[in-house]
Amino acid sequence: MRYRIAGLALATCCALSAPLAASAQTMSGSPAKGSSATTTRLASADKSFLEDAAHGGYTEIAGSQMALDKSKNADVKAFATQMIKDHTAVGEELAALAKSKGYTPPTEPSLVQKGELKALNVTDDSFDSMYARRIGVAAHESTIKLFEKAAKNAKDPDIKAFAQKTLPALQSHLEMAKALQAKVTKK
């Protein structure tokens, strides 16, 4: 019962995250916490991309660090280690790009994503499958959509190039996540 409640809590957080994040971004007339007031050079959609990508990367890293602590499965630990390595590198590149544009991206998951991570943390026996499903597959599907949109529509050419360059690695992560999910999901 505890696992079902944790799963429902995580699913609810995920379902609510997109509308809440979108409304928070459109309701705010001032720069996001930690952002610079000199971001006028960037289009609003480009700033939103940088913010959402940073939040997502930190969520992947935090969830994967949790997997290293909680999982006993070697495949889960290997995937988590790779995600931490890759998302840390991309996060550093994103931060440098954002800084060059006068924008300081967030340095942690969003409040909604923190809620998702808390829900993931309360799972025990089903942790591996929940991690593979939420942090592995679902997060990468969402991130790929975000990066595809920026790769096509970003106004800033450097941001567009960053999104285009990063997409193949994200797509590879998704394939890895799907394979992991197939291994750890109890039939």
Side-chain angles (χ1 to χ4, degrees):
M1 181 70 167
R2 178 178 167 195
Y3 306 121
R4 179 175 280 167
I5 292 170
L8 290 173
L10 182 60
T12 301
C13 286
C14 293
L16 295 174
S17 67
L20 289 174
S23 67
Q25 289 173 5
T26 57
M27 289 170 46
S28 174
S30 60
K33 180 182 176 190
S35 67
S36 169
T38 62
T39 59
T40 55
R41 296 185 298 173
L42 288 178
S44 175
D46 289 355
K47 286 188 279 186
S48 292
F49 165 74
L50 292 171
E51 182 172 328
D52 292 345
H55 279 310
Y58 283 108
T59 301
E60 293 258 354
I61 291 167
S64 294
Q65 288 172 332
M66 191 184 305
L68 290 178
D69 293 338
K70 291 188 74 145
S71 182
K72 294 175 181 27
N73 183 304
D75 292 327
V76 170
K77 287 181 176 270
F79 178 79
T81 298
Q82 188 67 47
M83 293 307 100
I84 292 168
K85 177 181 172 270
D86 292 354
H87 285 276
T88 298
V90 169
E92 290 169 357
E93 188 176 349
L94 182 142
L97 172 61
K99 184 177 180 183
S100 76
K101 304 298 178 181
Y103 176 71
T104 303
T107 57
E108 61 186 7
S110 70
L111 288 175
V112 171
Q113 291 163 329
K114 286 179 184 179
E116 293 173 13
L117 290 167
K118 283 184 182 184
L120 178 63
N121 195 35
V122 299
T123 60
D124 290 322
D125 293 341
S126 63
F127 176 84
D128 290 347
S129 64
M130 180 92 58
Y131 167 75
R133 184 172 63 250
R134 297 301 316 143
I135 301 297
V137 176
H140 281 98
E141 287 173 341
S142 175
T143 301
I144 287 169
K145 287 179 187 172
L146 176 70
F147 274 71
E148 284 174 339
K149 183 177 177 185
K152 291 178 186 169
N153 302 325
K155 302 294 184 217
D156 185 281
D158 296 329
I159 291 174
K160 183 179 270 194
F162 169 76
Q164 291 169 341
K165 180 184 91 169
T166 307
L167 263 171
L170 294 170
Q171 291 161 336
S172 175
H173 288 176
L174 177 58
E175 293 310 310
M176 292 167 56
K178 287 179 178 179
L180 177 65
Q181 183 180 19
K183 285 182 182 179
V184 300
T185 301
K186 295 176 181 173
K187 309 261 177 191

